[in-house]
Amino acid sequence: MIRRGELTDAAWARIMPLLPRSNGRRGRWRDHRQVIDGLLWKVRTGAPWRDLPERYGPWKTCHERLRRWTADGTWARILTQVQAHDDAVGTIEWAVSVDSTIARAHQHAAGARKKRGCGTWPVAPVGGEALGRSRGGLSTKVHLAVGGRGRPLSILLTPGQAGDNPQLVPLLEAIRVPRLGPGRPRSRPDRVSADKAYSHPSTRAELRRRRIANTIPERADQKSRRRGRPPCFDRDLYHDRNVVERCSNRLKQWRGLATRYAKRAAIHRAEVVIAAIMIWLR
């Protein structure tokens, strides 16, 4: 019986070929589907690891699988391949919207060891473990680039007090959707929509250099100092930018993402990627 929030048979059939296989050195791995269902329960509820229901196996097994597959890039590869499949059938709309959302950090999210222990970890993002002080206290900012259907194309983490505009170009550079056949990965959207936080002359110049149309409103202080023609702005196209806000709301329905509990930024980003994979598979 499939319980609420667990992998459906169709979703499992999509991701099963993408999962690592045991090399036999450390014995047989516990069933991947059982472990992934346990990870989904953990991220969806935000409960402590030790409260993981027994039907998902030992909590240490789920935690180790999350840590190991974060380190070797398994979650990122699954998301990339799911995106590639949808791009091949033409269901990705390349009108990209960009925005960020704040996740309050629980007190247990602080205090990660500065000297890494056993195991390997991806390089920490700018700002160490992506924890900072904003108006609401200790927090992490999740930056999203979302396609026209409201599904994440790239995800970045920064400390909560970080600005939005400096992350626009890194978000666009992180978009790489490979072709299932020959050809280079698709990385350039047709259009980028963003709010006034991204309105800066250097940002518009960079988008022009990349030959990407933009729909970004001009700030009032920029209007008063402007000389020459105003930047092109289509209000009707700007109304479609709400897809990124709806995507943020869908991610925050996962209680483990609305509040950050993970000490490592790499682990918290992996949890966001897992939720993003589920959005793509629906």
Side-chain angles (χ1 to χ4, degrees):
M1 180 182 68
I2 298 176
R3 294 177 172 86
R4 184 172 69 91
E6 295 181 350
L7 286 171
T8 63
D9 292 338
W12 173 244
R14 290 275 304 274
I15 69 173
M16 181 180 63
L18 307 174
L19 298 176
R21 297 185 179 182
S22 174
N23 55 17
R25 295 179 182 176
R26 299 185 179 182
R28 186 176 180 180
W29 283 9
R30 182 172 288 273
D31 180 57
H32 283 337
R33 185 169 183 175
Q34 181 188 28
V35 172
I36 293 176
D37 284 338
L39 293 176
L40 294 176
W41 184 91
K42 168 67 173 66
V43 180
R44 182 170 55 84
T45 63
W49 279 107
R50 288 172 174 81
D51 293 342
L52 191 73
E54 293 182 0
R55 63 179 179 269
Y56 299 124
W59 70 267
K60 289 185 178 179
T61 300
C62 289
H63 182 272
E64 176 63 18
R65 200 73 57 86
L66 172 63
R67 187 199 69 80
R68 180 175 297 184
W69 286 358
T70 299
D72 65 15
T74 295
W75 303 116
R77 286 195 298 271
I78 293 174
L79 179 59
T80 299
Q81 290 302 314
V82 171
Q83 292 172 346
H85 175 273
D86 283 31
D87 185 47
V89 298
T91 59
I92 295 183
E93 294 183 5
W94 285 93
V96 173
S97 298
V98 176
D99 205 352
S100 66
T101 184
I102 290 286
R104 288 289 303 274
H106 193 271
Q107 59 183 354
H108 294 165
R113 294 180 181 178
K114 294 184 179 179
K115 291 185 178 180
R116 308 259 171 97
C118 59
T120 57
W121 293 88
V123 177
V126 178
E129 297 299 340
L131 284 173
R133 295 281 178 181
S134 59
R135 292 182 183 180
L138 201 63
S139 61
T140 294
K141 183 174 284 189
V142 181
H143 302 264
L144 298 171
V146 175
R149 293 176 179 261
R151 296 176 294 186
L153 291 170
S154 63
I155 302 166
L156 294 179
L157 300 188
T158 61
Q161 78 277 11
D164 288 348
N165 185 59
Q167 304 306 318
L168 177 60
V169 173
L171 269 175
L172 296 180
E173 291 178 343
I175 299 175
R176 293 188 66 83
V177 179
R179 317 280 186 176
L180 294 184
R184 293 181 298 176
R186 174 78 185 260
S187 59
R188 183 166 63 90
D190 297 329
R191 174 174 295 273
V192 170
S193 297
D195 60 19
K196 292 182 180 180
Y198 299 87
S199 177
H200 194 273
S202 62
T203 300
R204 299 181 190 276
E206 178 64 19
L207 291 175
R208 285 195 300 269
R209 188 186 71 81
R210 295 170 179 258
R211 295 178 296 171
I212 301 175
N214 70 85
T215 304
I216 304 175
E218 196 175 18
R219 298 203 308 262
D221 61 325
Q222 294 174 348
K223 291 180 180 179
S224 62
R225 298 196 304 268
R226 176 180 13 96
R227 295 181 180 180
R229 297 184 303 172
C232 181
F233 176 71
D234 191 321
R235 190 172 298 275
D236 292 334
L237 291 176
Y238 185 70
H239 289 163
D240 296 334
R241 193 192 65 86
N242 62 59
V243 294
V244 65
E245 296 171 352
R246 298 205 307 268
C247 180
S248 297
N249 291 337
R250 293 176 70 182
L251 290 174
K252 284 194 170 183
Q253 289 177 7
W254 300 63
R255 297 186 178 187
L257 303 183
T259 301
R260 172 179 168 177
Y261 297 98
K263 292 182 183 295
R264 297 292 184 190
I267 292 294
H268 183 64
R269 184 183 182 276
E271 294 174 340
V272 179
V273 170
I274 290 172
I277 292 170
M278 297 307 296
I279 290 176
W280 279 89
L281 292 176
R282 286 175 182 170

